[in-house]
Amino acid sequence: MAIQPIRLFGDPVLRTPATPVADFDKELRKLVKDLTDTMMDAPGAGLAAPQIGVGLRVFTYYVDDQVGHLINPDLDLSDECDEEGEEGCLSFPGLSFPTPRAVRAVAKGFNMHGEPVTLEGTDLMARCFQHETDHLDGILFIDRMDPKQRKLAMKAVREAEWSGLAAPVIRMSPHATGGKAL
């Protein structure tokens, strides 16, 4: 098991768009395992590679007893929106806020072996696909909130015990990006 430290809000890697995966190799399979192990240990409904300091377009999910991953995702979203759904993030420990998201999502991408995958989800699964894909684009869930809700969320972030902590120690990653967002 290779549980990695999760980067917290304020770390620049969370605001940096991730690079598409080009090599479906042993290192990528190790990254998927590390993401899965870290997500399950946290525990969380999803985890994107930038959250462990790797700037590649990869995320894992664990929703409704389904564990999986998606590489280089592309989303098609329904027009129907859930304005009131609560959402949290492992990079904002202990906090959750109403965040508007599409009710249905179709996520297309690849598995760790480079085979095409199409995933469909509603409600929590759709929310997870959107949240994790946003991470890959350098977008955080607080960016999706209306201005009033975002102001309340930022107040909660400033008051959180983890807020304002020293920047995390950056170690070299065993993955191809060397722990740097590209």
Side-chain angles (χ1 to χ4, degrees), residues 97 142 145-158:
F97 307 98
I142 58 172
M145 297 175 190
D146 67 58
K148 182 180 176 183
Q149 186 61 48
R150 187 178 312 114
K151 186 175 180 178
L152 293 171
M154 289 308 298
K155 182 178 187 295
V157 167
R158 285 188 299 277

Side-chain angles (χ1 to χ4, degrees), residues 60-79:
T60 56
Y61 61 89
Y62 177 56
V63 177
D64 299 329
D65 293 324
Q66 293 181 41
V67 178
H69 67 277
L70 194 60
I71 299 164
N72 298 338
D74 182 42
L75 298 183
D76 291 319
L77 305 175
S78 68
D79 291 333

Side-chain angles (χ1 to χ4, degrees), residues 2 34 114 137 139 165 178:
D34 288 355
D137 294 331
I139 298 169
L165 297 177

Side-chain angles (χ1 to χ4, degrees), residues 160-173:
E161 72 177 45
W162 52 264
S163 182
L165 297 177
V169 174
I170 309 296
R171 294 187 202 106
M172 292 305 291
S173 170

